[in-house]
Amino acid sequence: MRHLALTGGIGSGKSTVATFFAERGATIIDADAISRALMEPGQEVLDEVVDTFGEHLLDAAGRLDRAALANIVFNDNEARERLNGIVHPAVRSESARLREEALAADPDHAVIIQDIPLLVETGQADQFDGVIVVDTDHDTRLQRLVEARGMEVEDAQARISAQATDEQRRDVADWIIDNSGPLDSTEDQVAAVWTELTEDQ
Ligand code: ADP
């Protein structure tokens, strides 16, 4: 079994790379995606959040109004801690469940890749068997965030600047996937890393 971390700055193409690994058989554990799924209607976590912060967080269809929740916790540390106290343990236990499921299915060869945008910022690199970094040059990231994701240039630039530098991410990398070029070049690099990860098991 191998337990790896996948990281990259915002707009680097981390989600795209995660999909290429998933297509080859990796189990991807994505805390952001898990926390979004736990906030869907019918989920206990959503019920608890609404019990704690109020019914006004739900729209007419019973879905979480994310902007309203963000407003509540943005400037209120105590509220943010209460929210994290509900969401984080649930995300951790769902992540553990996914890991156990992958291990049970293939105890010797499972490749589990944890998608952690802020791996470097939160100092978690040492907890994994290896780190895969998606590296994309600054201007290309900015352009993709603006053109493909519809962000404002200033917002995209501010988000890039708030994160660790490319150099800091490269420093913790065991594998670097350059996603500055076309997708088929990225997929070729993923295929090469996948071969390395699986050939000696
Ligand atoms: P991240 O998860 O790192 O924030 P995404 O995987 O969502 O980044 O990629 C950011 C945007 O750039 C997406 O719209 C994605 O489709 C696009 N994209 C990713 N890689 C490439 C590439 N090699 N060529 C062109 N567009 C890309």
Side-chain angles (χ1 to χ4, degrees):
M1 190 278 273
R2 282 182 186 256
H3 192 200
L4 306 157
L6 173 68
T7 195
I10 182 167
S12 60
K14 199 170 46 61
S15 313
T16 307
V17 166
T19 305
F20 288 145
F21 277 110
E23 284 167 5
R24 284 163 176 79
T27 294
I28 307 293
I29 299 181
D30 175 344
D32 287 347
I34 293 172
S35 74
R36 279 195 299 276
L38 292 174
M39 294 289 200
E40 288 293 314
Q43 295 287 332
E44 270 174 42
V45 170
L46 178 61
D47 295 344
E48 215 177 315
V49 167
V50 171
D51 285 347
T52 306
F53 296 104
E55 288 283 336
H56 67 283
L57 285 180
L58 297 179
D59 65 16
R63 304 191 73 85
L64 178 69
D65 177 348
R66 289 180 178 281
L69 182 59
N71 268 338
I72 293 178
V73 300
F74 188 65
N75 276 320
D76 183 342
N77 286 340
E78 198 253 334
R80 190 161 52 241
E81 274 167 29
R82 266 192 295 155
L83 177 65
N84 289 343
I86 298 168
V87 177
H88 287 179
V91 170
R92 276 199 294 274
S93 82
E94 177 60 7
S95 301
R97 193 190 66 75
L98 290 170
R99 266 197 305 276
E100 295 306 317
E101 194 177 76
L103 267 181
D106 193 353
D108 297 330
H109 307 107
V111 176
I112 298 167
I113 301 182
Q114 201 128 352
D115 181 333
I116 308 184
L118 301 182
L119 181 85
V120 170
E121 292 84 344
T122 55
Q124 296 181 69
D126 292 346
Q127 296 172 19
F128 295 88
D129 299 328
V131 174
I132 304 166
V133 168
V134 183
D135 196 26
T136 302
D137 70 73
H138 172 277
D139 291 353
T140 305
R141 289 164 67 193
L142 198 57
Q143 187 186 350
R144 287 182 190 157
L145 288 172
V146 171
E147 285 173 10
R149 290 241 199 110
M151 276 189 193
E152 297 293 330
V153 180
E154 294 74 22
D155 186 26
Q157 180 58 62
R159 284 169 190 243
I160 290 175
S161 302
Q163 295 189 336
T165 63
D166 294 342
E167 193 71 74
Q168 287 170 319
R169 274 186 292 268
R170 280 185 216 123
D171 276 350
V172 301
D174 296 286
W175 293 276
I176 294 177
I177 297 196
D178 175 10
N179 186 39
S180 303
L183 283 174
D184 52 358
S185 148
T186 302
E187 187 161 15
D188 287 348
Q189 296 172 67
V190 169
V193 173
W194 183 253
T195 301
E196 248 188 82
L197 286 173
T198 50
E199 72 187 353
D200 57 343
Q201 285 196 46

